[in-house]
Amino acid sequence: MSKPLLIGPFTQLLPMSGLPLKGALSDEQLPIIEKGGLVVYEGKILDIGIFEDLKSDDVEVHQLEGNHVCLPGFIDAHTHICFGGSRARDYAYRNSGKTYLEIAKAGGGIWDTVTQTRKASQEDLVEGIISRSVTHLKNGVTTIEVKSGYGLSVEEELKMLRAIKQADRKTLADLVPTCLAAHMKPKDWDGDKNYLEEIASKLFLQLKSEGLANRIDAFIEESAFSSQEIAPYFQKARELGFDITVHADQFTTGGSEVAIQFDAISADHLEASTEKEIQLLAKSDVIATALPGASLGLGCDFTPARKLLDAGGVLAIASDHNPGSAPMGDLLTQASILGTFEKLSNAEVLAGITFRASAALNLEDRGTLEVNKLADFVIFPTDNYQEITYHQGQLKPNAVWKNGKQIE
Ligand code: NIG
Ligand code: FE
C-alpha cells in the first residue's frame, strides 16, 4: 500500500478556511501558513501545517524547489460549456452597435446556439466540453458547473445532459450538471402547449432516474420567462427535491426576488440589481454570483459586488463561459478584473472562486484546504499571493492537483 504523500514546502499556503461565508473580507483575515505543507492520501487531505513538522517515516515527500503559493482548486459555479458552433458574428454585431433585437432578427442570440447545438451529435458535445474543461483545469479550475439550455426540447436537453455526464467521466475536472431547459421559449414550440409544463412533467423525473442533474435553473427576463411563468415550474422542481438556481436581474429586475421566494441556492448575474434587491439578497441565504465574463463580453455594467458584500451578502464569482455573452471563459482573469472595478480585496476575490463558490454548488467537500476535504489545489510560481490577482490571470499555475494527483 502506498504511503501518504507530503507536498511542499509552499512559501505561502492559503487554506481559505475559518472565514465567514457572508459579508466583506479583508486580506488581514486570510490565514497564511508560511513554509506550509499538505499531506494527501486517497484523494483527500490527511494533514495540513508547516512542511518540516509534517515530515515523518510514514510519509513520502514530493519536494518543491523555489517559491510557490498554494490555494484550494478554483470552482467555476456557472458555465454553459456544452454547446455547438460559435457566435463571433453576434459579438461583431454588438460591437458595431446593433441591439439585442436586431441581432436576434438576423438569426443570432441564444436561438442560434440552440440550432447549432441541436445539429451536433452527443459525441461532438462531449468533445467540446472536454476540450474547454482542459483549458479551465490548466488555469486551476478543478470543479466546473455545466448547464444545458441549448436543447430546449425534452430529447435535446437530455442529449446535452447525457453529454455532460459522459464528459464528466472522461475529464479530470469534476463537472456539476444543471438543467437549464428554461433558458428561453423555443421558437419552434407549438403555441397550444405550455413548454414549461411539458418540461416539468416529461424531463424532471428522467433527470432523477438517469442521475443527470440535481439542479434546475431558469432565465427570468423579458426575453425569456416571467416570474409568474416560472413559479409553478420552480414549485414542481422543489417538490421533487431539486436545488434551484436563477439567471436573475441581468437586464431587468425580478429574478432575484423569485430566487429568494423559492429558497434558491444562488441568484446569478445581478448586473441590474438595485439597492432594494441588494438588501433583500443580503438578508437572505441566497448566494449572489457575479459573472464578470458576461459584463466583459456584452460591454455592460458589472454586478454590484462591493455593495452586495457591504450589505452582508455572500458573493461567488463565476465565468458564465458560453458562446454568446461570455466567450472568454477565464475565471481568474475575470474575477481579478471584477476586483479592480468593484474594489474587492484579494480575500473577497479568492473566496468568490473557492469556498463561496463551493457553497453556490452545495458542495461541502471542497473550496478550502482542511483535513478530510478533497485534495484539490492549485500552485502558483510566486512568493506572494497578492501577485495572483495583480497579474489579472496572466500569472498561470505551475501545477494543479485534483483528488491528490498532480494533473497539470
Ligand atoms: O448567462 N443570460 C442568459 N444566458 C446566458 C447567455 C447565453 C447565450 O448568450 O448563449 C448568460 O449570459
Ligand atoms: Fe449563464
Side-chain angles (χ1 to χ4, degrees), residues 78-80 147 150 180 183 217 247 250 268-269 291 294 320-322 325:
H78 180 139
T79 85
H80 308 246
K147 299 176 194 298
Y150 295 123
L180 177 58
H183 201 180
D217 192 351
H247 277 71
Q250 185 181 11
D268 304 21
H269 275 295
L291 306 172
D320 197 20
H321 191 184
N322 74 69
S325 60

Side-chain angles (χ1 to χ4, degrees), residues 86-100 102-104 106-110 112-113 116 292-300 322-329 334:
S86 158
R87 300 242 297 280
R89 190 182 52 169
D90 279 20
Y91 186 74
Y93 277 155
R94 280 203 299 276
N95 290 354
S96 69
K98 294 249 184 323
T99 65
Y100 186 83
E102 287 166 338
I103 293 170
I110 294 173
D112 184 13
T113 301
Q116 301 191 64
S295 305
L296 293 167
L298 296 173
C300 60
N322 74 69
S325 60
M328 183 209 286
Q334 296 164 1

